[in-house]
Amino acid sequence: MALIGDFYIIPPDQWLFPTHGDVMDAKRRANASFEATGSYETAASQIEEFVRQWALARIIDVYKYPKEWLGERLIIEEPVKMGSTEKEADISIKNINRRTFLYVEAKRLSGSDDEFVEAERQLETYLASTHTATIGLVTNGMRTKVIRKKIDPNDFEYIVDLPSYGADVASRVQLVREAPDVGKKRSTGLRPISEDYERVLFDCHSTARDVDGLHADEALDEICKVLYAKIFDERQVTKQAVGTPFKFQTFGASNASEVASNIRTLYEEAKNTDVEIYSKRIPGYERSRGVFKQQVRLSDIALYRVVERLQEFSLIDSSEDIKGRAFQKILGSAIRAGMGQYFTPDPIVELAIEVIDPQADHLILDPFCGSGHFLTKALQHVVREQGEIMPPHALHEFKFFHLHGIEKSDRMVRIAMTDMMLHDDGHTNIRNQDALLSFENYPDITALNEVNEENAAQQNLNPAVFDVVLTNPPFGSIMRQEVMEMIGRFHLGHKKKSLPLEIIGLERSLQFLKPGGRLAIVLPEHLMKGKNAAFVREWLRNVAHVKAIFFFPEEAFTPFGAMVKTCLLILQKFKAGEVMQPDAPTFLCEVENLGYEATGKPKAGTEVPSAIEAFKQNVRWN
């Protein structure tokens, strides 16, 4: 039974908010009834304000919300915007940011069952339209229900009671920015994630999955949103004076629901700031990058527990290697649970990166980037090989402006962006688009091209701007009649009624590549050997040097849900006037051991390092 208990009459001269217009009007009517009958019994059954005043008293006396909150964080007649209309909630309890996290709807004591049901639906509407509010109570004094918004904002469940003030909030120490350590990378004063605490992100993921019953990839998506808000908060606070409190913490909140509401408010601030800043710099930013527009869908309890576990650690002060490994632990869990189609095994990515050897002055693209694995590995490669000799501004420029991705799934873009943010940065160049669309859809990519006065119009539409393309396009999808217009944009689609997506992906990858640029692409093996794909190989001879082909065992993608033999194709796009030389060699290599078994378990004797070394000894880039 809810703590609010049974209704009792509170005399009008003891009512809260006595100067509010609605309260004054109800008080006048109540006193008139008292003069006529000698009691408030009749008035109490007809005037809704009696029930609201009783509810307010119980919120303070039984649920222990501070009386000092009245008029500031505990208010009446709170406007609730619902589309083009606006209504007023009877009681609103606000978080520290003055955003509602709890609503109470009161109805008159003598109201019918239909009126009560209507009030319940009204309360659900308030909750559905308010990102920061998840719990509400509806009562007519005789009957009370408490409802909670579920993961779907239009789905609700009944719970036992409202959260009381102070319930379940254990943090008693406020987290504030401390003075930066001189000579050390520690700007927040929070604890960097060390090797001993690498599991902290995995623990957060497990909490989200277990508390809310989410699938592993759904939980990963929600953790990405939380990390996005956490990183934003740390960056904002480090711009402020020492002693500035972090918003990402449980301290000072009345209960788990207010903690969750605070984080939802912070997340909203982060995404609005992101769009405001980058829309001024990047054409079409909000349309192609605004993937964090979706709300945080974790329950209050799950979100509170994640914040409680993560709040003491700094993400921006932690080692990139440790953060990367910590994130890979939860990414690996989601992959094993069914996200393998978006993932390229680490040894294959390593092979591609080492063979292509991206440099700090290269523009790099993955047009089918999935979780962004190629991009983060390219970033690590450049930092490892050149980071110590690069000026800080050059390293910053590489991270922020040279790493680009395109991915159709908004969930995967959030994952890729989060991984890039944990690697300090580049996340703003991951686009939530279909890489096979016409080039008018990528104005920010074509704008990267160097333009001269003679052919400015042509170059502005030229997508061939990247020095390096690294990718693993989706396999197996057959592009049929309904996408003939799309196939018609490609030479390989000429006179074809259908075409596998990986073939179109190969051509699109080369379209994005500069003359002389380098491509590493994972493809089904039959494209390099099968008779039906001879037209693909013939086309390649006219557009690029086939520098190498690495063939992989059948188990290469088996742990990730694919049962097709694959290879890694290494190309260098022809420069103007170049043609294939009849005697041009192609390095062929069978990599029989990638370092793992078909089950995904480690396997001794990986041949990847020797394959890399053999390529470097036998192949030269033009």
Side-chain angles (χ1 to χ4, degrees), residues 540-554:
L540 278 176
R541 292 188 187 98
N542 295 312
V543 295
H545 297 284
V546 181
K547 307 295 286 188
I549 309 173
F550 295 89
F551 296 98
F552 301 132
E554 191 169 343

Side-chain angles (χ1 to χ4, degrees), residues 117-292:
V117 171
E118 182 182 349
E120 188 178 342
R121 298 290 86 80
Q122 185 69 59
L123 181 59
E124 290 176 353
T125 304
Y126 293 161
L127 293 172
S129 63
T130 312
H131 179 41
T132 56
T134 55
I135 294 179
L137 179 147
V138 57
T139 183
N140 62 6
M142 304 296 292
R143 182 181 176 191
T144 297
K145 281 190 176 182
V146 183
I147 59 176
R148 177 168 59 197
K149 182 166 59 180
K150 298 176 72 173
I151 289 175
D152 183 336
N154 294 306
D155 193 10
F156 302 88
E157 62 186 354
Y158 294 112
I159 58 176
V160 174
D161 208 350
L162 295 179
S164 296
Y165 179 85
D168 301 324
V169 180
S171 177
R172 295 292 177 262
V173 179
Q174 188 176 39
L175 299 171
V176 301
R177 187 192 180 203
E178 299 175 7
D181 287 356
V182 178
K184 296 181 180 179
K185 185 183 176 184
R186 188 165 179 263
S187 58
T188 62
L190 301 175
R191 180 195 303 185
I193 299 174
S194 65
E195 292 183 4
D196 294 336
Y197 289 94
E198 271 188 29
R199 283 185 57 88
V200 63
L201 298 186
F202 184 82
D203 292 344
C204 292
H205 178 257
S206 299
T207 296
R209 184 192 63 212
D210 297 341
V211 172
D212 283 351
L214 299 178
H215 195 270
D217 61 332
E218 293 176 315
L220 172 59
D221 193 20
E222 295 309 308
I223 293 301
C224 286
K225 298 172 188 175
V226 175
L227 295 177
Y228 176 74
K230 168 74 166 159
I231 291 170
F232 171 78
D233 185 43
E234 291 186 27
R235 288 176 174 171
Q236 293 299 106
V237 170
T238 54
K239 299 174 186 176
Q240 307 301 317
V242 170
T244 300
F246 293 94
K247 294 180 179 179
F248 193 97
Q249 61 176 311
T250 63
F251 179 86
S254 57
N255 49 47
S257 291
E258 187 183 349
V259 170
S261 182
N262 289 338
I263 301 307
R264 292 187 179 95
T265 302
L266 176 64
Y267 173 77
E268 195 170 288
E269 181 183 350
K271 64 183 181 181
N272 290 341
T273 301
D274 208 38
V275 169
E276 180 181 354
I277 291 173
Y278 291 112
S279 291
K280 298 174 183 177
R281 305 180 188 176
I282 301 173
Y285 178 83
E286 185 171 7
R287 178 174 61 87
S288 66
R289 319 291 213 288
V291 293
F292 284 99

Side-chain angles (χ1 to χ4, degrees), residues 9-13 30-31 33-34 37-45 50:
I9 293 174
I10 297 176
D13 61 355
N31 287 333
S33 176
F34 184 86
T37 63
S39 77
Y40 290 114
E41 295 289 340
T42 301
S45 67
F50 277 94

Side-chain angles (χ1 to χ4, degrees), residues 426-443:
H427 78 280
T428 56
N429 297 318
I430 310 291
R431 298 156 184 82
N432 182 207
Q433 289 180 312
D434 186 340
L436 303 179
L437 297 175
S438 61
F439 294 119
E440 287 86 353
N441 289 278
Y442 319 112

Side-chain angles (χ1 to χ4, degrees), residues 289-305:
R289 319 291 213 288
V291 293
F292 284 99
K293 67 185 77 169
Q294 291 194 4
Q295 297 179 0
V296 177
R297 299 167 66 235
L298 292 176
S299 69
D300 292 356
I301 295 299
L303 187 50
Y304 163 70
R305 290 183 182 173

